[in-house]
Amino acid sequence: MALANELSAILSTVFVKGYEMAHLEHDPTLEPDGLTLADLAHVAPLGARVNAAGHMEVAGVDLVDLATAQGTALYVMDEAHIRAQLNAYQAALAECWPESAVAYAGKAFTCKAICRLLTEEGGWLDASSGGELAIALAAGFAAEQVIFHGNNKTEQELIEAIEAGIGRIVLDCFEEIERVQRLAADRGVVQKVLLRIKPGVVADTHSHIITGAEDSKFGFGISDGWAERATEQVLEAANLELMGLHCHIGSQIFAIDVYQQAVGALFRLLGQLKQRFDYLPRELNLGGGVGSAYRVEHNPPSISDFVKTLTDAVKIHCEQLGLAPSELKLIVEPGRSIVANAGITLYTVGAIKQLEGIRTFVAVDGGMTDNIRTALYDARYECVIANRVGEPRDAIVTVAGKHCESGDVVMIDASIQTPQVGDTLVIMTTGAYNQSMSSNYNKQPRPAVVWLADGVAREVVRRETYADLLATDVG
């Protein structure tokens, strides 16, 4: 019932936004921005360029040729970009706080290939469901380097996690403390855990992705005494080992000073826990990373500035608490900022409708099933025509999907090279929360995911087929 209510709420949001989009007046003063791919470098994959044919190329692969070979819609990711972002977090942390770990937030995008990449690069994994954990284990990922999240993990998910030897379970409610203690005792193990704390700070981001405020479904509050009570309960549990605290204040955050507020709130709590229980943590998990540039005007802070802001704040509070930095492991859980700009989506233009005095609709062979973020979050992207990407963007269009909803719009009033039927259209910055939030609405098979590296395209998630749709329909 809860899932049905959640889906109903999401669809209601989509339908309402769809009505608003369908009745949104075109701004007649809006002019094309004249930008080319060179002007969009900070929202594009690292390996993006214009090749000799005038086509967009990523990691040595011509995207027009790729669209012809693989079909569209198609998710495409620059593997070197993913590695570079992960390595940037690891290097910045190693410089500022040697005892540290980067746990990639799998909810942004999970598949076996990225789990294997994490193994190769020494990364940890933040999993938020039994499915994400199953994929990681199938890829051979080390269970002890998995941090398991969720505000209502099922008993079966917890059993699977404990029996796999999961590294950390993040406890989110009092019922879960009792549940994990019982399941661990039944199996004769001591399970390492973290307590998820709501620091009571509100990040400057979309309301749907704020997670650290007092009015949040996640974690234990500080001001209401829940965090202190939960700590006491875990410390008294014979089969739970409290490694430390966890907090996550939200996603797509540009104003990184809010992390200083979160750290301050956590250490004020730690002062209370030290005084009452003589407890000091061995780990502090500070959640997600920096925001990502989706639009040309976006200017997120650098990874190094983010890490320095975080670690400087922790150092100050450690000194005040009498906790040696060498005794504390810091963990961060970036997801979006590792994969968002590494990914793009390819579509083929199927129809163009010019509504005089209103707008020009460009219809593509995908939409809300492969990118729900526009309808759900009012997300905005940058787009180009891959086969004319070196030319300036000289038209304003609305990119519409193929699905039977007015809200099925990928981009509204976007600058782009003048499109023609058959063009390969590229939407930038779709590596995070696009494939992972995709659906089979209208019984649309999900697109494939292709990784590009050194001139080679490698399919890491195959395209769904009608046979896949029928496989679970037992009639």
Side-chain angles (χ1 to χ4, degrees), residues 133 143-144 146-148 161-169 191-192:
L133 175 58
E144 62 270 18
V146 177
I147 302 170
F148 194 38
I162 293 169
E163 291 185 348
I166 203 84
R168 310 286 183 274
I169 293 177
Q191 177 61 54
K192 293 178 179 178

Side-chain angles (χ1 to χ4, degrees), residues 12 28 164 169 234 271 382 412 469:
S12 295
I169 293 177
V234 174
E382 299 292 351
I412 302 169
L469 299 180

Side-chain angles (χ1 to χ4, degrees), residues 97 197-199 222 245 247 259-275 279-286 309-325 327-330:
W97 203 280
I197 306 300
K198 291 187 285 189
I222 298 176
L245 305 182
C247 82
Y259 285 99
Q260 296 171 325
Q261 300 173 37
V263 168
L266 287 180
F267 272 88
R268 284 191 292 274
L269 171 63
L270 285 172
Q272 298 167 15
L273 300 183
K274 181 184 179 183
Q275 184 175 21
Y279 172 76
L280 287 175
R282 281 173 281 165
E283 294 179 358
L284 202 58
N285 187 324
L286 297 173
T309 297
L310 215 58
T311 54
D312 282 354
V314 174
K315 285 173 185 174
I316 292 171
H317 290 287
C318 275
E319 184 176 343
Q320 294 171 349
L321 194 63
L323 179 63
E327 298 174 321
L328 183 67
K329 185 185 189 76
L330 283 188

